[in-house]
CSV table of all heavy atoms in Angstrom, one decimal:
chain,number,residue,atom,x,y,z
V,88,MET,N,-32.8,44.3,-26.1
V,88,MET,CA,-32.9,43.8,-24.7
V,88,MET,C,-31.4,43.9,-24.2
V,88,MET,O,-30.5,43.4,-24.8
V,88,MET,CB,-33.5,42.4,-24.7
V,88,MET,CG,-33.7,41.9,-23.3
V,88,MET,SD,-34.4,40.3,-23.2
V,88,MET,CE,-36.1,40.5,-23.7
V,89,THR,N,-31.3,44.3,-23.0
V,89,THR,CA,-29.9,44.4,-22.4
V,89,THR,C,-29.5,43.0,-21.9
V,89,THR,O,-30.3,42.1,-21.8
V,89,THR,CB,-29.9,45.4,-21.2
V,89,THR,OG1,-30.7,44.8,-20.1
V,89,THR,CG2,-30.4,46.7,-21.6
V,90,GLU,N,-28.2,42.9,-21.6
V,90,GLU,CA,-27.7,41.6,-21.1
V,90,GLU,C,-28.4,41.2,-19.8
V,90,GLU,O,-28.7,40.0,-19.6
V,90,GLU,CB,-26.2,41.7,-21.0
V,90,GLU,CG,-25.4,41.7,-22.3
V,90,GLU,CD,-23.9,41.6,-22.1
V,90,GLU,OE1,-23.5,40.9,-21.1
V,90,GLU,OE2,-23.2,42.3,-22.8
V,91,MET,N,-28.6,42.2,-19.0
V,91,MET,CA,-29.3,41.9,-17.7
V,91,MET,C,-30.7,41.4,-17.9
V,91,MET,O,-31.1,40.4,-17.3
V,91,MET,CB,-29.3,43.2,-16.8
V,91,MET,CG,-30.0,43.0,-15.5
V,91,MET,SD,-29.2,41.9,-14.4
V,91,MET,CE,-28.1,43.1,-13.6
V,92,ASN,N,-31.4,42.0,-18.8
V,92,ASN,CA,-32.8,41.5,-19.1
V,92,ASN,C,-32.8,40.2,-19.7
V,92,ASN,O,-33.7,39.3,-19.4
V,92,ASN,CB,-33.5,42.5,-20.1
V,92,ASN,CG,-33.9,43.8,-19.4
V,92,ASN,OD1,-33.9,43.9,-18.2
V,92,ASN,ND2,-34.2,44.8,-20.2
V,93,GLU,N,-31.8,39.9,-20.6
V,93,GLU,CA,-31.7,38.5,-21.2
V,93,GLU,C,-31.4,37.5,-20.1
V,93,GLU,O,-32.0,36.4,-20.1
V,93,GLU,CB,-30.7,38.5,-22.3
V,93,GLU,CG,-31.1,39.3,-23.5
V,93,GLU,CD,-30.0,39.3,-24.6
V,93,GLU,OE1,-29.0,38.6,-24.4
V,93,GLU,OE2,-30.2,40.1,-25.5
V,94,ALA,N,-30.5,37.8,-19.2
V,94,ALA,CA,-30.2,36.9,-18.1
V,94,ALA,C,-31.4,36.6,-17.2
V,94,ALA,O,-31.7,35.5,-16.8
V,94,ALA,CB,-29.0,37.5,-17.3
V,95,ILE,N,-32.1,37.7,-16.9
V,95,ILE,CA,-33.3,37.5,-16.0
V,95,ILE,C,-34.4,36.7,-16.8
V,95,ILE,O,-35.0,35.8,-16.2
V,95,ILE,CB,-33.9,38.9,-15.7
V,95,ILE,CG1,-32.9,39.6,-14.7
V,95,ILE,CG2,-35.3,38.8,-15.0
V,95,ILE,CD1,-33.3,41.0,-14.4
V,96,SER,N,-34.5,36.9,-18.1
V,96,SER,CA,-35.5,36.1,-18.8
V,96,SER,C,-35.1,34.6,-18.8
V,96,SER,O,-36.0,33.8,-18.7
V,96,SER,CB,-35.6,36.6,-20.3
V,96,SER,OG,-36.2,37.9,-20.3
V,97,ARG,N,-33.9,34.4,-19.0
V,97,ARG,CA,-33.4,32.9,-19.0
V,97,ARG,C,-33.7,32.3,-17.6
V,97,ARG,O,-34.1,31.2,-17.5
V,97,ARG,CB,-31.9,32.8,-19.3
V,97,ARG,CG,-31.7,33.0,-20.8
V,97,ARG,CD,-30.3,32.5,-21.2
V,97,ARG,NE,-29.2,33.3,-20.6
V,97,ARG,CZ,-28.8,34.5,-21.0
V,97,ARG,NH1,-29.2,35.0,-22.1
V,97,ARG,NH2,-27.8,35.1,-20.3
V,98,LEU,N,-33.4,33.1,-16.5
V,98,LEU,CA,-33.6,32.6,-15.2
V,98,LEU,C,-35.1,32.3,-14.9
V,98,LEU,O,-35.4,31.3,-14.3
V,98,LEU,CB,-33.0,33.5,-14.1
V,98,LEU,CG,-31.5,33.6,-14.0
V,98,LEU,CD1,-31.1,34.7,-13.1
V,98,LEU,CD2,-31.0,32.3,-13.5
V,99,LEU,N,-35.9,33.2,-15.3
V,99,LEU,CA,-37.4,33.1,-15.0
V,99,LEU,C,-38.1,32.1,-15.9
V,99,LEU,O,-39.1,31.6,-15.6
V,99,LEU,CB,-38.0,34.5,-15.1
V,99,LEU,CG,-37.6,35.5,-14.1
V,99,LEU,CD1,-38.3,36.8,-14.4
V,99,LEU,CD2,-37.9,35.0,-12.7
V,100,GLY,N,-37.5,31.9,-17.1
V,100,GLY,CA,-38.1,31.0,-18.1
V,100,GLY,C,-39.2,31.7,-18.9
V,100,GLY,O,-39.5,32.9,-18.6
V,101,PRO,N,-39.8,31.0,-19.8
V,101,PRO,CA,-40.7,31.6,-20.7
V,101,PRO,C,-42.1,31.9,-20.0
V,101,PRO,O,-42.4,31.2,-19.0
V,101,PRO,CB,-40.9,30.5,-21.8
V,101,PRO,CG,-40.6,29.3,-21.1
V,101,PRO,CD,-39.5,29.6,-20.1
V,102,ALA,N,-42.7,32.9,-20.5
V,102,ALA,CA,-44.0,33.3,-19.9
V,102,ALA,C,-45.2,32.4,-20.5
V,102,ALA,O,-46.2,32.3,-19.9
V,102,ALA,CB,-44.4,34.7,-20.2
V,103,GLU,N,-44.9,31.7,-21.5
V,103,GLU,CA,-45.8,30.8,-22.2
V,103,GLU,C,-45.4,29.4,-22.1
V,103,GLU,O,-44.3,29.1,-21.7
V,103,GLU,CB,-45.9,31.2,-23.7
V,103,GLU,CG,-44.6,31.0,-24.4
V,103,GLU,CD,-44.6,31.8,-25.7
V,103,GLU,OE1,-45.0,32.9,-25.8
V,103,GLU,OE2,-44.0,31.2,-26.7
V,104,PRO,N,-46.3,28.4,-22.4
V,104,PRO,CA,-45.9,27.0,-22.3
V,104,PRO,C,-44.7,26.8,-23.3
V,104,PRO,O,-44.7,27.3,-24.3
V,104,PRO,CB,-47.1,26.3,-22.8
V,104,PRO,CG,-48.2,27.2,-22.8
V,104,PRO,CD,-47.6,28.6,-22.8
V,105,GLU,N,-43.8,25.9,-22.8
V,105,GLU,CA,-42.7,25.6,-23.7
V,105,GLU,C,-42.7,24.1,-24.0
V,105,GLU,O,-43.1,23.3,-23.2
V,105,GLU,CB,-41.4,25.9,-22.9
V,105,GLU,CG,-40.2,25.7,-23.7
V,105,GLU,CD,-38.9,26.0,-22.9
V,105,GLU,OE1,-38.9,26.8,-22.0
V,105,GLU,OE2,-37.8,25.5,-23.3
V,106,VAL,N,-42.4,23.8,-25.3
V,106,VAL,CA,-42.3,22.4,-25.7
V,106,VAL,C,-40.9,21.9,-25.4
V,106,VAL,O,-40.0,22.7,-25.1
V,106,VAL,CB,-42.6,22.3,-27.2
V,106,VAL,CG1,-43.9,22.8,-27.6
V,106,VAL,CG2,-41.5,23.0,-28.0
V,107,GLY,N,-40.7,20.6,-25.4
V,107,GLY,CA,-39.4,20.0,-25.2
V,107,GLY,C,-38.7,19.7,-26.5
V,107,GLY,O,-39.3,20.0,-27.6
V,108,CYS,N,-37.5,19.2,-26.4
V,108,CYS,CA,-36.7,19.0,-27.6
V,108,CYS,C,-37.4,18.0,-28.6
V,108,CYS,O,-37.4,18.2,-29.8
V,108,CYS,CB,-35.3,18.6,-27.3
V,108,CYS,SG,-34.3,19.8,-26.4
V,109,ASP,N,-37.9,16.9,-28.0
V,109,ASP,CA,-38.5,15.9,-28.9
V,109,ASP,C,-39.7,16.5,-29.7
V,109,ASP,O,-39.8,16.3,-30.9
V,109,ASP,CB,-39.0,14.7,-28.1
V,109,ASP,CG,-37.8,13.9,-27.5
V,109,ASP,OD1,-36.7,14.0,-28.1
V,109,ASP,OD2,-38.0,13.1,-26.6
V,110,GLU,N,-40.5,17.2,-29.0
V,110,GLU,CA,-41.7,17.9,-29.6
V,110,GLU,C,-41.2,18.9,-30.6
V,110,GLU,O,-41.8,19.1,-31.7
V,110,GLU,CB,-42.6,18.5,-28.6
V,110,GLU,CG,-43.9,19.0,-29.2
V,110,GLU,CD,-44.9,19.5,-28.2
V,110,GLU,OE1,-44.7,19.4,-27.0
V,110,GLU,OE2,-45.9,20.0,-28.7
V,111,CYS,N,-40.2,19.7,-30.3
V,111,CYS,CA,-39.6,20.7,-31.1
V,111,CYS,C,-39.2,20.1,-32.5
V,111,CYS,O,-39.5,20.5,-33.5
V,111,CYS,CB,-38.5,21.4,-30.4
V,111,CYS,SG,-37.7,22.7,-31.5
V,112,PHE,N,-38.4,19.0,-32.4
V,112,PHE,CA,-37.9,18.4,-33.6
V,112,PHE,C,-39.0,17.8,-34.4
V,112,PHE,O,-38.9,17.8,-35.6
V,112,PHE,CB,-36.8,17.3,-33.2
V,112,PHE,CG,-35.4,17.9,-33.0
V,112,PHE,CD1,-34.9,17.9,-31.7
V,112,PHE,CD2,-34.7,18.6,-34.0
V,112,PHE,CE1,-33.6,18.4,-31.5
V,112,PHE,CE2,-33.5,19.1,-33.8
V,112,PHE,CZ,-32.9,19.0,-32.5
V,113,ALA,N,-40.0,17.3,-33.8
V,113,ALA,CA,-41.2,16.8,-34.5
V,113,ALA,C,-42.0,17.8,-35.2
V,113,ALA,O,-42.6,17.5,-36.3
V,113,ALA,CB,-42.1,16.0,-33.5
V,114,LYS,N,-42.0,19.1,-34.7
V,114,LYS,CA,-42.8,20.1,-35.3
V,114,LYS,C,-42.1,21.2,-36.0
V,114,LYS,O,-42.7,22.1,-36.6
V,114,LYS,CB,-43.7,20.7,-34.2
V,114,LYS,CG,-44.6,19.7,-33.6
V,114,LYS,CD,-45.5,20.3,-32.5
V,114,LYS,CE,-46.5,19.3,-32.0
V,114,LYS,NZ,-47.3,19.9,-31.0
V,115,ILE,N,-40.7,21.2,-36.0
V,115,ILE,CA,-40.0,22.3,-36.5
V,115,ILE,C,-40.1,22.5,-38.0
V,115,ILE,O,-40.1,23.7,-38.5
V,115,ILE,CB,-38.5,22.2,-36.1
V,115,ILE,CG1,-37.8,23.6,-36.2
V,115,ILE,CG2,-37.8,21.2,-36.9
V,115,ILE,CD1,-36.5,23.7,-35.4
V,116,ASP,N,-40.3,21.4,-38.8
V,116,ASP,CA,-40.5,21.6,-40.2
V,116,ASP,C,-41.8,22.4,-40.5
V,116,ASP,O,-41.8,23.4,-41.3
V,116,ASP,CB,-40.7,20.2,-40.9
V,116,ASP,CG,-39.4,19.4,-40.9
V,116,ASP,OD1,-38.4,19.9,-40.5
V,116,ASP,OD2,-39.5,18.2,-41.2
V,117,ARG,N,-42.9,22.1,-39.8
V,117,ARG,CA,-44.1,22.8,-40.0
V,117,ARG,C,-44.0,24.2,-39.6
V,117,ARG,O,-44.5,25.2,-40.2
V,117,ARG,CB,-45.3,22.1,-39.3
V,117,ARG,CG,-46.6,22.6,-39.6
V,117,ARG,CD,-47.7,21.8,-39.0
V,117,ARG,NE,-47.6,21.6,-37.6
V,117,ARG,CZ,-48.6,22.0,-36.8
V,117,ARG,NH1,-49.7,22.5,-37.2
V,117,ARG,NH2,-48.4,21.8,-35.5
V,118,TYR,N,-43.3,24.4,-38.5
V,118,TYR,CA,-43.1,25.8,-37.9
V,118,TYR,C,-42.3,26.7,-39.0
V,118,TYR,O,-42.7,27.8,-39.3
V,118,TYR,CB,-42.3,25.7,-36.6
V,118,TYR,CG,-42.2,27.0,-35.9
V,118,TYR,CD1,-43.2,27.4,-35.0
V,118,TYR,CD2,-41.1,27.8,-36.0
V,118,TYR,CE1,-43.1,28.6,-34.3
V,118,TYR,CE2,-40.9,28.9,-35.3
V,118,TYR,CZ,-42.0,29.3,-34.4
V,118,TYR,OH,-41.9,30.5,-33.7
V,119,VAL,N,-41.2,26.1,-39.5
V,119,VAL,CA,-40.4,26.9,-40.5
V,119,VAL,C,-41.3,27.2,-41.7
V,119,VAL,O,-41.2,28.3,-42.3
V,119,VAL,CB,-39.1,26.2,-40.8
V,119,VAL,CG1,-38.4,26.7,-42.0
V,119,VAL,CG2,-38.2,26.2,-39.6
V,120,GLU,N,-42.0,26.2,-42.2
V,120,GLU,CA,-42.8,26.4,-43.4
V,120,GLU,C,-43.8,27.6,-43.2
V,120,GLU,O,-44.0,28.4,-44.0
V,120,GLU,CB,-43.6,25.1,-43.7
V,120,GLU,CG,-42.8,24.0,-44.3
V,120,GLU,CD,-43.5,22.7,-44.5
V,120,GLU,OE1,-44.7,22.6,-44.2
V,120,GLU,OE2,-42.9,21.8,-45.0
V,121,ARG,N,-44.4,27.6,-42.0
V,121,ARG,CA,-45.4,28.7,-41.7
V,121,ARG,C,-44.7,30.0,-41.6
V,121,ARG,O,-45.2,31.0,-42.1
V,121,ARG,CB,-46.2,28.4,-40.4
V,121,ARG,CG,-47.1,27.2,-40.6
V,121,ARG,CD,-48.0,27.0,-39.4
V,121,ARG,NE,-48.9,28.1,-39.2
V,121,ARG,CZ,-50.1,28.2,-39.8
V,121,ARG,NH1,-50.5,27.3,-40.7
V,121,ARG,NH2,-50.9,29.3,-39.6
V,122,GLU,N,-43.5,30.0,-40.9
V,122,GLU,CA,-42.8,31.3,-40.8
V,122,GLU,C,-42.4,31.8,-42.2
V,122,GLU,O,-42.7,33.0,-42.5
V,122,GLU,CB,-41.4,31.0,-40.1
V,122,GLU,CG,-41.4,31.0,-38.7
V,122,GLU,CD,-40.0,30.8,-38.1
V,122,GLU,OE1,-39.3,30.0,-38.6
V,122,GLU,OE2,-39.7,31.5,-37.2
V,123,LEU,N,-41.9,31.0,-43.1
V,123,LEU,CA,-41.5,31.5,-44.4
V,123,LEU,C,-42.7,31.8,-45.3
V,123,LEU,O,-42.5,32.6,-46.2
V,123,LEU,CB,-40.6,30.4,-45.1
V,123,LEU,CG,-39.3,30.2,-44.4
V,123,LEU,CD1,-38.5,29.1,-45.1
V,123,LEU,CD2,-38.4,31.5,-44.3
V,124,ALA,N,-43.8,31.3,-45.0
V,124,ALA,CA,-45.0,31.6,-45.8
V,124,ALA,C,-45.7,32.9,-45.3
V,124,ALA,O,-46.7,33.4,-45.8
V,124,ALA,CB,-46.0,30.4,-45.7
V,125,GLY,N,-45.2,33.4,-44.2
V,125,GLY,CA,-45.7,34.7,-43.6
V,125,GLY,C,-46.9,34.4,-42.7
V,125,GLY,O,-47.6,35.3,-42.3
V,126,ALA,N,-47.1,33.1,-42.3
V,126,ALA,CA,-48.3,32.8,-41.4
V,126,ALA,C,-47.8,32.9,-40.0
V,126,ALA,O,-46.6,33.1,-39.7
V,126,ALA,CB,-48.7,31.3,-41.7
V,127,ASP,N,-48.7,32.9,-39.1
V,127,ASP,CA,-48.4,33.0,-37.7
V,127,ASP,C,-48.0,31.6,-37.1
V,127,ASP,O,-48.8,30.9,-36.6
V,127,ASP,CB,-49.6,33.5,-36.9
V,127,ASP,CG,-49.3,33.9,-35.5
V,127,ASP,OD1,-48.2,33.6,-35.0
V,127,ASP,OD2,-50.2,34.5,-34.8
V,128,ALA,N,-46.7,31.3,-37.2
V,128,ALA,CA,-46.2,30.1,-36.7
V,128,ALA,C,-46.3,29.9,-35.2
V,128,ALA,O,-46.6,28.8,-34.7
V,128,ALA,CB,-44.7,29.9,-37.1
V,129,ASP,N,-46.2,31.0,-34.5
V,129,ASP,CA,-46.3,30.9,-33.0
V,129,ASP,C,-47.7,30.6,-32.6
V,129,ASP,O,-47.9,29.8,-31.6
V,129,ASP,CB,-45.9,32.3,-32.4
V,129,ASP,CG,-44.4,32.6,-32.7
V,129,ASP,OD1,-43.6,31.6,-32.7
V,129,ASP,OD2,-44.1,33.7,-32.9
V,130,ALA,N,-48.7,31.0,-33.3
V,130,ALA,CA,-50.1,30.6,-33.0
V,130,ALA,C,-50.4,29.2,-33.3
V,130,ALA,O,-51.1,28.5,-32.6
V,130,ALA,CB,-51.1,31.5,-33.7
V,131,ALA,N,-49.8,28.7,-34.4
V,131,ALA,CA,-50.0,27.3,-34.9
V,131,ALA,C,-49.3,26.3,-33.9
V,131,ALA,O,-49.8,25.2,-33.7
V,131,ALA,CB,-49.5,27.2,-36.3
V,132,ILE,N,-48.1,26.7,-33.4
V,132,ILE,CA,-47.4,25.8,-32.6
V,132,ILE,C,-46.9,26.6,-31.3
V,132,ILE,O,-45.8,27.0,-31.3
V,132,ILE,CB,-46.2,25.2,-33.4
V,132,ILE,CG1,-46.6,24.6,-34.7
V,132,ILE,CG2,-45.4,24.2,-32.5
V,132,ILE,CD1,-45.5,24.2,-35.6
V,133,PRO,N,-47.8,26.7,-30.4
V,133,PRO,CA,-47.5,27.5,-29.2
V,133,PRO,C,-46.3,26.9,-28.4
V,133,PRO,O,-46.2,25.7,-28.3
V,133,PRO,CB,-48.8,27.5,-28.4
V,133,PRO,CG,-49.8,27.0,-29.3
V,133,PRO,CD,-49.2,26.2,-30.4
V,134,GLY,N,-45.5,27.7,-27.9
V,134,GLY,CA,-44.4,27.3,-27.1
V,134,GLY,C,-43.1,26.9,-27.8
V,134,GLY,O,-42.0,26.9,-27.2
V,135,LEU,N,-43.2,26.8,-29.1
V,135,LEU,CA,-41.9,26.4,-29.8
V,135,LEU,C,-41.0,27.6,-29.8
V,135,LEU,O,-39.8,27.4,-29.6
V,135,LEU,CB,-42.3,26.0,-31.2
V,135,LEU,CG,-41.1,25.1,-31.8
V,135,LEU,CD1,-41.7,23.8,-32.4
V,135,LEU,CD2,-40.4,25.9,-32.9
V,136,ARG,N,-41.5,28.8,-30.0
V,136,ARG,CA,-40.6,30.0,-30.1
V,136,ARG,C,-39.9,30.1,-28.7
V,136,ARG,O,-38.7,30.4,-28.7
V,136,ARG,CB,-41.4,31.3,-30.3
V,136,ARG,CG,-40.7,32.6,-30.2
V,136,ARG,CD,-39.6,32.9,-31.2
V,136,ARG,NE,-40.2,32.8,-32.6
V,136,ARG,CZ,-39.4,32.6,-33.6
V,136,ARG,NH1,-38.1,32.5,-33.5
V,136,ARG,NH2,-39.9,32.5,-34.8
V,137,ALA,N,-40.6,29.9,-27.6
V,137,ALA,CA,-40.0,30.0,-26.3
V,137,ALA,C,-38.9,28.9,-26.1
V,137,ALA,O,-37.8,29.2,-25.6
V,137,ALA,CB,-41.0,29.8,-25.2
V,138,HIS,N,-39.1,27.7,-26.7
V,138,HIS,CA,-38.1,26.7,-26.6
V,138,HIS,C,-36.9,27.1,-27.4
V,138,HIS,O,-35.7,26.9,-26.9
V,138,HIS,CB,-38.7,25.3,-27.1
V,138,HIS,CG,-37.7,24.2,-27.0
V,138,HIS,ND1,-37.3,23.6,-25.8
V,138,HIS,CD2,-36.9,23.7,-27.9
V,138,HIS,CE1,-36.4,22.7,-26.0
V,138,HIS,NE2,-36.1,22.7,-27.3
V,139,LEU,N,-37.1,27.6,-28.6
V,139,LEU,CA,-36.0,28.0,-29.4
V,139,LEU,C,-35.1,29.1,-28.7
V,139,LEU,O,-33.9,29.1,-28.9
V,139,LEU,CB,-36.4,28.5,-30.8
V,139,LEU,CG,-37.1,27.5,-31.7
V,139,LEU,CD1,-37.7,28.1,-32.9
V,139,LEU,CD2,-36.1,26.3,-32.0
V,140,GLY,N,-35.8,29.9,-27.9
V,140,GLY,CA,-35.1,31.0,-27.2
V,140,GLY,C,-34.2,30.5,-26.1
V,140,GLY,O,-33.2,31.1,-25.8
V,141,GLY,N,-34.4,29.3,-25.6
V,141,GLY,CA,-33.7,28.7,-24.5
V,141,GLY,C,-32.8,27.5,-24.8
V,141,GLY,O,-32.1,27.0,-24.0
V,142,CYS,N,-33.0,27.0,-26.0
V,142,CYS,CA,-32.3,25.7,-26.4
V,142,CYS,C,-31.3,25.9,-27.6
V,142,CYS,O,-31.8,26.0,-28.7
V,142,CYS,CB,-33.3,24.6,-26.7
V,142,CYS,SG,-32.5,23.0,-27.1
V,143,PRO,N,-30.0,26.0,-27.3
V,143,PRO,CA,-29.1,26.3,-28.4
V,143,PRO,C,-29.1,25.2,-29.5
V,143,PRO,O,-29.0,25.5,-30.7
V,143,PRO,CB,-27.7,26.3,-27.7
V,143,PRO,CG,-28.0,26.6,-26.3
V,143,PRO,CD,-29.4,26.0,-26.0
V,144,ALA,N,-29.3,24.0,-29.2
V,144,ALA,CA,-29.3,22.9,-30.2
V,144,ALA,C,-30.5,23.0,-31.1
V,144,ALA,O,-30.4,22.9,-32.3
V,144,ALA,CB,-29.3,21.5,-29.5
V,145,CYS,N,-31.7,23.2,-30.5
V,145,CYS,CA,-32.9,23.4,-31.3
V,145,CYS,C,-32.9,24.7,-32.1
V,145,CYS,O,-33.3,24.7,-33.3
V,145,CYS,CB,-34.2,23.3,-30.5
V,145,CYS,SG,-34.4,21.6,-29.8
V,146,ARG,N,-32.3,25.7,-31.5
V,146,ARG,CA,-32.2,27.0,-32.2
V,146,ARG,C,-31.3,26.9,-33.5
V,146,ARG,O,-31.6,27.4,-34.5
V,146,ARG,CB,-31.7,28.1,-31.3
V,146,ARG,CG,-31.7,29.5,-31.9
V,146,ARG,CD,-31.3,30.6,-31.0
V,146,ARG,NE,-30.2,30.3,-30.1
V,146,ARG,CZ,-30.3,30.1,-28.8
V,146,ARG,NH1,-31.5,30.1,-28.2
V,146,ARG,NH2,-29.3,29.9,-28.0
V,147,GLU,N,-30.2,26.1,-33.3
V,147,GLU,CA,-29.3,25.9,-34.4
V,147,GLU,C,-30.0,25.1,-35.5
V,147,GLU,O,-29.9,25.4,-36.7
V,147,GLU,CB,-28.1,25.2,-34.0
V,147,GLU,CG,-27.0,24.9,-35.0
V,147,GLU,CD,-25.8,24.2,-34.5
V,147,GLU,OE1,-25.4,24.4,-33.4
V,147,GLU,OE2,-25.2,23.5,-35.3
V,148,GLU,N,-30.8,24.1,-35.1
V,148,GLU,CA,-31.6,23.3,-36.1
V,148,GLU,C,-32.5,24.2,-36.8
V,148,GLU,O,-32.7,24.1,-38.1
V,148,GLU,CB,-32.3,22.2,-35.4
V,148,GLU,CG,-33.1,21.3,-36.3
V,148,GLU,CD,-32.3,20.5,-37.2
V,148,GLU,OE1,-31.1,20.3,-37.1
V,148,GLU,OE2,-33.0,20.0,-38.2
V,149,HIS,N,-33.2,25.1,-36.1
V,149,HIS,CA,-34.2,26.0,-36.7
V,149,HIS,C,-33.5,26.9,-37.7
V,149,HIS,O,-34.0,27.1,-38.8
V,149,HIS,CB,-34.9,26.8,-35.6
V,149,HIS,CG,-35.7,27.9,-36.1
V,149,HIS,ND1,-35.3,29.2,-36.0
V,149,HIS,CD2,-37.0,27.9,-36.6
V,149,HIS,CE1,-36.3,30.0,-36.5
V,149,HIS,NE2,-37.3,29.2,-36.9
V,150,GLU,N,-32.4,27.5,-37.3
V,150,GLU,CA,-31.7,28.4,-38.2
V,150,GLU,C,-31.2,27.7,-39.5
V,150,GLU,O,-31.3,28.2,-40.6
V,150,GLU,CB,-30.5,29.1,-37.5
V,150,GLU,CG,-31.0,30.0,-36.4
V,150,GLU,CD,-29.9,30.5,-35.5
V,150,GLU,OE1,-28.7,30.1,-35.6
V,150,GLU,OE2,-30.2,31.3,-34.5
V,151,SER,N,-30.7,26.5,-39.3
V,151,SER,CA,-30.2,25.7,-40.5
V,151,SER,C,-31.4,25.3,-41.4
V,151,SER,O,-31.2,25.5,-42.6
V,151,SER,CB,-29.5,24.4,-40.0
V,151,SER,OG,-28.4,24.7,-39.2
V,152,LEU,N,-32.5,24.9,-40.8
V,152,LEU,CA,-33.6,24.5,-41.6
V,152,LEU,C,-34.2,25.7,-42.4
V,152,LEU,O,-34.5,25.6,-43.5
V,152,LEU,CB,-34.7,23.9,-40.7
V,152,LEU,CG,-35.9,23.3,-41.5
V,152,LEU,CD1,-35.5,22.2,-42.5
V,152,LEU,CD2,-36.8,22.7,-40.4
V,153,ARG,N,-34.3,26.9,-41.7
V,153,ARG,CA,-34.8,28.1,-42.3
V,153,ARG,C,-33.9,28.5,-43.5
V,153,ARG,O,-34.4,28.8,-44.6
V,153,ARG,CB,-34.8,29.3,-41.3
V,153,ARG,CG,-36.1,29.5,-40.7
V,153,ARG,CD,-36.1,30.8,-39.9
V,153,ARG,NE,-36.1,32.0,-40.8
V,153,ARG,CZ,-37.2,32.7,-41.0
V,153,ARG,NH1,-38.3,32.4,-40.5
V,153,ARG,NH2,-37.1,33.7,-41.8
V,154,ALA,N,-32.6,28.4,-43.3
V,154,ALA,CA,-31.7,28.8,-44.4
V,154,ALA,C,-31.8,27.8,-45.6
V,154,ALA,O,-31.8,28.2,-46.7
V,154,ALA,CB,-30.2,28.8,-43.9
V,155,LEU,N,-31.9,26.5,-45.2
V,155,LEU,CA,-32.1,25.5,-46.3
V,155,LEU,C,-33.3,25.7,-47.1
V,155,LEU,O,-33.3,25.7,-48.3
V,155,LEU,CB,-32.0,24.1,-45.7
V,155,LEU,CG,-32.2,22.9,-46.6
V,155,LEU,CD1,-30.9,22.8,-47.5
V,155,LEU,CD2,-32.4,21.6,-45.9
V,156,VAL,N,-34.4,25.8,-46.4
V,156,VAL,CA,-35.7,26.0,-47.1
V,156,VAL,C,-35.8,27.3,-47.8
V,156,VAL,O,-36.3,27.4,-49.0
V,156,VAL,CB,-36.9,25.8,-46.1
V,156,VAL,CG1,-38.2,26.1,-46.7
V,156,VAL,CG2,-36.9,24.4,-45.5
V,157,ALA,N,-35.4,28.4,-47.2
V,157,ALA,CA,-35.4,29.7,-47.8
V,157,ALA,C,-34.5,29.7,-49.1
V,157,ALA,O,-34.8,30.3,-50.1
V,157,ALA,CB,-35.0,30.8,-46.9
V,158,GLY,N,-33.3,29.1,-49.0
V,158,GLY,CA,-32.4,29.0,-50.1
V,158,GLY,C,-33.0,28.2,-51.3
V,158,GLY,O,-32.7,28.5,-52.4
V,159,GLY,N,-33.8,27.2,-51.0
V,159,GLY,CA,-34.4,26.4,-52.0
V,159,GLY,C,-35.6,27.1,-52.7
V,159,GLY,O,-36.0,26.7,-53.8
V,160,ALA,N,-36.0,28.2,-52.1
V,160,ALA,CA,-37.1,29.0,-52.7
V,160,ALA,C,-36.6,29.9,-53.8
V,160,ALA,O,-37.4,30.5,-54.6
V,160,ALA,CB,-37.9,29.8,-51.6
V,161,ASP,N,-35.3,30.2,-53.8
V,161,ASP,CA,-34.8,31.1,-54.9
V,161,ASP,C,-34.8,30.5,-56.2
V,161,ASP,O,-34.7,29.4,-56.5
V,161,ASP,CB,-33.3,31.5,-54.5
V,161,ASP,CG,-33.3,32.4,-53.2
V,161,ASP,OD1,-34.4,33.0,-52.9
V,161,ASP,OD2,-32.3,32.4,-52.5
């Protein structure tokens, strides 16, 4: 995606329902578990992916949790 497309996407917002930070933090553990298990995390928790795309704090939490859980699986 080009920088222009990314900027337009941020301005227009997500095409799907988006969760807020509180809901994201409450559900992110289950989301990461489903992702790492190869399950459809987006279908299980609609809107969370859209929130992660627009919220740097939650995206950082997601990335950290994924790294922690994935590292523990080795």
Side-chain angles (χ1 to χ4, degrees):
M88 189 181 285
T89 67
E90 286 185 38
M91 177 67 88
N92 287 344
E93 289 176 12
I95 290 170
S96 292
R97 282 194 300 275
L98 286 172
L99 294 177
E103 60 197 43
E105 184 178 339
V106 301
C108 291
D109 290 340
E110 186 177 356
C111 179
F112 279 113
K114 295 181 176 181
I115 200 162
D116 293 348
R117 188 169 59 117
Y118 188 83
V119 167
E120 287 173 1
R121 292 189 66 83
E122 279 184 314
L123 294 176
D127 189 352
D129 296 323
I132 307 169
L135 201 129
R136 172 72 52 205
H138 181 77
L139 294 174
C142 180
C145 290
R146 185 171 46 251
E147 183 179 329
E148 178 69 17
H149 172 256
E150 291 167 1
S151 296
L152 185 58
R153 262 188 76 99
L155 180 69
V156 174
D161 292 336

